[in-house]
Amino acid sequence: MAEDTKLSTLDATLLRRAFALAAQARARGDRPFAAVIADEKGEVLAEAGSTQGKGGGGTLAHSEMNALQDALRAALPRDVLRRATIYSSGEPCAMCSAAIFYTGIGRAVYGLSAGAILHLRNAQPHTAGLSLSCRAVLDSAAERVEVIGPCLETEGAVPHQGYWREGAP
């Protein structure tokens, strides 16, 4: 179920920035995912693409983890992070969702749903990973994290087109 109607113009702009960064990640030989962390006015606090692939980041180098690490290195105050939104090109996995909560981010907006990503990847049961949605993880958090997604899935799918058939890392 798409939640495009809940997207503000600012949300759509920043989510599209994540899609563009995902395309850049793919172009440099990494998986086509990206995340942007912005304050409530839209000022970008941190952004990163996946470094899984030629970036050499390994299995934990998801775009959300990379952006969250950058935000933490910037030593942003907890109240700033609490009012911030992370914009992910794809639905954050369980690991990234937990990290969003533990970093203190108050809101998550994502493009492609986990199901859409699995379909694009032609994932098999042994490669599908955890089947725990971002919303399920964050709904269980002690402090509420608003989740909006999936949104703009057609646009979010563009960086993935053909990627998973090319022997992706």
Side-chain angles (χ1 to χ4, degrees):
M1 174 183 79
E3 295 193 15
D4 295 348
T5 58
K6 291 186 179 180
L7 275 187
S8 70
T9 302
L10 179 60
D11 287 336
T13 297
L14 290 164
L15 187 55
R16 287 182 174 114
R17 182 173 179 146
F19 297 157
L21 290 170
Q24 290 175 18
R26 177 184 177 164
R28 46 167 207 273
D30 292 312
R31 289 187 175 184
F33 295 100
V36 175
I37 300 171
D39 68 14
E40 66 273 18
K41 295 176 185 168
E43 180 181 334
V44 174
L45 305 173
E47 62 185 14
S50 169
T51 51
Q52 287 184 284
K54 290 191 177 176
T59 35
L60 300 181
H62 293 196
S63 58
E64 295 90 348
M65 298 297 281
N66 293 338
L68 291 166
Q69 287 287 357
D70 287 349
L72 290 173
R73 276 191 283 278
L76 299 167
R78 179 96 173 150
D79 64 312
V80 170
L81 292 172
R82 190 72 198 125
R83 292 189 312 271
T85 299
I86 186 165
Y87 297 89
S88 298
S89 61
E91 182 173 354
C93 70
M95 171 185 72
C96 293
S97 297
I100 289 166
F101 167 72
Y102 285 114
T103 303
I105 302 291
R107 190 166 174 262
V109 175
Y110 66 88
L112 284 174
S113 68
I117 294 166
L118 289 175
H119 177 74
L120 288 167
R121 286 180 49 207
N122 192 26
Q124 304 303 308
H126 67 285
T127 63
L130 297 173
S131 62
L132 193 56
S133 74
C134 167
R135 188 169 275 104
V137 172
L138 293 172
D139 281 352
S140 72
E143 192 169 5
R144 185 174 186 282
V145 177
E146 181 183 6
V147 178
I148 298 174
C151 302
L152 307 175
E153 285 195 279
T154 301
E155 293 176 54
V158 171
H160 294 268
Q161 291 173 347
Y163 175 81
W164 300 101
R165 289 187 303 263
E166 297 168 1

